[in-house]
Amino acid sequence: MILTFYRTVLFLLLFLFLFGQGIVRAAEIDWYITNTTDEDGRPIRSDATVFNCSDQIYTMIWFSDLRDTTHTLIVDWIDPSGRQREHTVHNFRYFGNPASIWAWLTLHPPRGAIALRLFNPSIGMREFIGIWTVRVTINDQILGRSKFEVLC
């Protein structure tokens, strides 16, 4: 009985080793928030967690070793009141090479506030000031949440 069990387990392991390499993969995914870009306009990692109302704020996602298929990446930007301000959905096909995707948040003042912002940058931007949350999801799995602060 025990010998039959071990043979079955050994057979299953051998089967997975020979035929399962495309089925199971350990994906590597890294992501971060930044307001810094390189000379080509690609977001680069920085230690900043406090941003200005006029900053363009990026979420950069790096990945490799995903399954060679179509994936859905979602980035949600949630303001200090808990309201979802932006919802970015990006469908992409992974072909085996390390790749990156980024989403960004740009805060826009209401109409009529632009001229007044010359005197006080926070005019019309009060609802944006505070702790924001960005949530990153790939294929309906939450990769994580990160918080950052917006000040004017």
Side-chain angles (χ1 to χ4, degrees), residues 31-36 43-51 56-61 75 77 103 105 132-136 145-149:
W31 67 281
Y32 55 87
I33 302 169
T34 185
N35 64 339
T36 307
I44 56 175
R45 191 180 296 269
S46 70
D47 292 332
T49 58
V50 178
F51 304 106
Q56 193 157 32
I57 304 166
Y58 302 93
T59 296
M60 176 65 121
I61 303 99
V75 179
W77 303 88
L105 175 70
W132 284 67
T133 302
V134 63
R135 181 178 53 226
V136 178
R145 292 178 173 88
S146 189
K147 296 192 179 293
F148 61 93
E149 188 171 7

Side-chain angles (χ1 to χ4, degrees), residues 12-86:
L12 287 173
L13 289 173
L14 181 62
F15 180 81
L16 285 174
F17 177 75
L18 293 175
F19 301 104
Q21 293 191 17
I23 298 170
V24 179
R25 255 192 181 159
E28 292 182 34
I29 302 172
D30 181 32
W31 67 281
Y32 55 87
I33 302 169
T34 185
N35 64 339
T36 307
T37 59
D38 64 14
E39 59 276 354
D40 296 323
R42 292 178 55 90
I44 56 175
R45 191 180 296 269
S46 70
D47 292 332
T49 58
V50 178
F51 304 106
N52 193 298
C53 284
S54 61
D55 286 342
Q56 193 157 32
I57 304 166
Y58 302 93
T59 296
M60 176 65 121
I61 303 99
W62 293 90
F63 49 87
S64 63
D65 297 327
L66 296 177
R67 287 189 183 159
D68 295 343
T69 186
T70 302
H71 301 276
T72 302
L73 175 76
I74 299 174
V75 179
D76 291 317
W77 303 88
I78 302 155
D79 74 9
S81 73
R83 181 176 160 207
Q84 181 177 302
R85 288 292 184 147
E86 294 288 334

